[in-house]
Amino acid sequence: MELPEVEVMRRDLQKEVVGRRIEDVEVRSHRNTARVIRRHRGGEEFRAELAGTTITTVDRRGKYVLFHVERDGAGGRGRALVVHFGMSGQFVRGTKKDALSPHTHVVLEFLDGGDLRYVDPRTFGELFVASAGALGEVKELAHIAIDPLSEMFTRERLAHALARRTVRLKPLLMDQTFVSGIGNIYSDEVLFDARLRHDRPSNSLSSREVLRLYRSLREVVRDAVQHRGTTLGDQAYVDLFGNAGEFQSELKVYGRKGLSCARCGAAIGSVKLSGRTSYFCPRCQR
DNA sequence: GTTTAACCCTGCACGC
DNA sequence: TGCGTGCAGGGTTAAA
């Protein structure tokens, strides 16, 4: 799950769970559940943090979703449930009557009936509760770079950041401390849209190329959110209501090895870069 | 600072 | 049908 999918999930959650009280939390006894709540000493500690709280808002930082929760009479000292979906994590709505799917790790049970389940087969995802006022002290969150959809993300800022580095564009776009929310799919799509090769050193871009990269970053990500994300492959992403995204039909290079480039007709190529497959047009990306 | 490889998991597609 | 292999949208760490 990359920024667009996480943002779609955040928006769905904002409509679905804000104002609802968490009556209880069930931490399942799946053999990998301890991994999913690894920052807590155990399920009981995790449960105690959330049971009896009310969700006030749902926020996002990079690929993390943050549920702000408050307890009656706590005087505004809120806590935050921080969630990273990894490669296969997702939230599913349910009720007591619905059977739990096999890789359910945590169930938030609401006072008004109904629940929210965290399901994650590969368990690269994670849930933890921290003080809402001290999220900056959580290492991973503190280092998350600016959001490409933020108004603060300007062309000048991007140009400055690119010039300070010498690394290749693709891994740089995926570096969450450089710009947040971009993963393997969207880095390829952004670079195609900007007509830039994955292995261009970041400090080699002309100002015109920086502008293209800037526009592509914003437009591709915004477009993907509007299409409710990309649903591809096994254990594919679906939104809170179980619906697939629609951006997969808009993909120009990702997963299209050997097919012809929509812009120039050349065959889309792929390379393996530090374990990740990268797709690009060898003719029109320079 | 940059780059690569290995690792943490499960499930699926594929070839034999 | 069964088995082995490789691959998957993420992120961290160690080593070169």
Side-chain angles (χ1 to χ4, degrees), chain A residues 48-68:
Chain A
E49 287 273 18
L50 294 172
T53 66
T54 299
I55 299 171
T56 59
T57 188
V58 185
D59 211 350
R60 180 179 62 77
R61 286 200 200 170
K63 299 177 188 173
Y64 288 86
V65 160
L66 290 76
F67 296 75
H68 290 268

Side-chain angles (χ1 to χ4, degrees), chain A residues 5 33 35 50 57 71 73 78 104 110 115 135 151 165 170 176 179 195 198 208 215 221 253 286:
Chain A
E5 293 78 35
T33 297
R35 227 171 89 82
L50 294 172
T57 188
R71 199 177 293 281
T104 304
F110 295 113
D115 59 45
L135 290 175
E151 285 177 19
R165 305 287 296 272
K170 160 104 175 173
Q176 303 303 301
V179 59
R195 287 181 278 135
H198 55 83
R208 190 177 291 186
R215 286 180 172 160
V221 170
V253 283
R286 300 278 169 175

Side-chain angles (χ1 to χ4, degrees), chain A residues 140-255:
Chain A
E140 289 80 354
L141 294 178
H143 293 164
I144 287 179
I146 192 165
D147 196 285
L149 296 180
S150 157
E151 285 177 19
M152 310 271 284
F153 181 67
T154 62
R155 172 189 173 187
E156 292 72 25
R157 191 172 171 145
L158 177 66
H160 185 65
L162 286 167
R164 288 170 51 195
R165 305 287 296 272
T166 61
V167 288
R168 295 178 286 194
L169 287 178
K170 160 104 175 173
L172 188 60
L173 290 182
M174 292 172 64
D175 181 349
Q176 303 303 301
T177 68
F178 181 79
V179 59
S180 62
I182 308 297
N184 204 31
I185 293 180
Y186 294 108
S187 57
D188 281 358
E189 293 299 313
V190 166
L191 288 171
F192 173 81
D193 195 67
R195 287 181 278 135
L196 293 167
R197 273 182 65 100
H198 55 83
D199 55 358
R200 280 284 297 278
S202 65
N203 62 357
S204 74
L205 271 59
S206 68
S207 59
R208 190 177 291 186
E209 288 174 326
V210 172
L211 179 58
R212 290 211 306 263
L213 181 57
Y214 174 72
R215 286 180 172 160
S216 296
L217 260 168
R218 288 177 78 94
E219 284 168 17
V220 170
V221 170
R222 198 178 294 148
D223 207 19
V225 173
Q226 274 167 10
H227 284 82
R228 298 192 61 81
T230 301
T231 300
L232 278 180
D234 68 308
Q235 290 154 50
Y237 157 80
V238 289
D239 69 17
L240 186 57
F241 307 100
N243 302 310
E246 294 164 1
F247 197 70
Q248 57 277 10
S249 62
E250 308 295 315
L251 296 176
K252 303 293 195 297
V253 283
Y254 185 83

Side-chain angles (χ1 to χ4, degrees), chain A residues 9-168:
Chain A
M9 180 58 76
R10 185 199 69 78
R11 291 179 186 184
D12 286 352
L13 287 166
Q14 178 76 23
K15 288 186 207 141
E16 185 71 13
V17 302
V18 166
R20 295 175 79 181
R21 178 160 172 148
I22 301 171
E23 169 91 294
D24 205 354
V25 178
E26 183 187 359
V27 177
R28 303 284 298 164
S29 51
H30 188 282
R31 70 178 184 282
N32 287 320
T33 297
R35 227 171 89 82
V36 173
I37 55 161
R38 65 189 81 113
R39 296 193 199 213
H40 293 274
R41 264 171 257 150
E44 185 49 38
E45 183 190 287
F46 182 81
R47 191 190 74 85
E49 287 273 18
L50 294 172
T53 66
T54 299
I55 299 171
T56 59
T57 188
V58 185
D59 211 350
R60 180 179 62 77
R61 286 200 200 170
K63 299 177 188 173
Y64 288 86
V65 160
L66 290 76
F67 296 75
H68 290 268
V69 301
E70 280 183 10
R71 199 177 293 281
D72 294 345
R77 284 173 302 151
R79 308 287 283 168
L81 167 63
V82 183
V83 181
H84 192 291
F85 298 98
M87 287 172 77
S88 59
Q90 65 176 125
F91 278 118
V92 177
R93 294 183 325 149
T95 67
K96 274 199 169 66
K97 285 182 287 183
D98 302 325
L100 296 174
S101 60
H103 295 286
T104 304
H105 299 288
V106 169
V107 182
L108 304 181
E109 298 167 357
F110 295 113
L111 184 62
D112 58 7
D115 59 45
L116 185 67
R117 298 134 185 234
Y118 179 75
V119 180
D120 190 352
R122 288 178 208 164
T123 59
F124 286 179
E126 184 185 12
L127 284 77
F128 64 92
V129 181
S131 165
L135 290 175
E137 290 163 31
V138 176
K139 193 179 125 204
E140 289 80 354
L141 294 178
H143 293 164
I144 287 179
I146 192 165
D147 196 285
L149 296 180
S150 157
E151 285 177 19
M152 310 271 284
F153 181 67
T154 62
R155 172 189 173 187
E156 292 72 25
R157 191 172 171 145
L158 177 66
H160 185 65
L162 286 167
R164 288 170 51 195
R165 305 287 296 272
T166 61
V167 288
R168 295 178 286 194

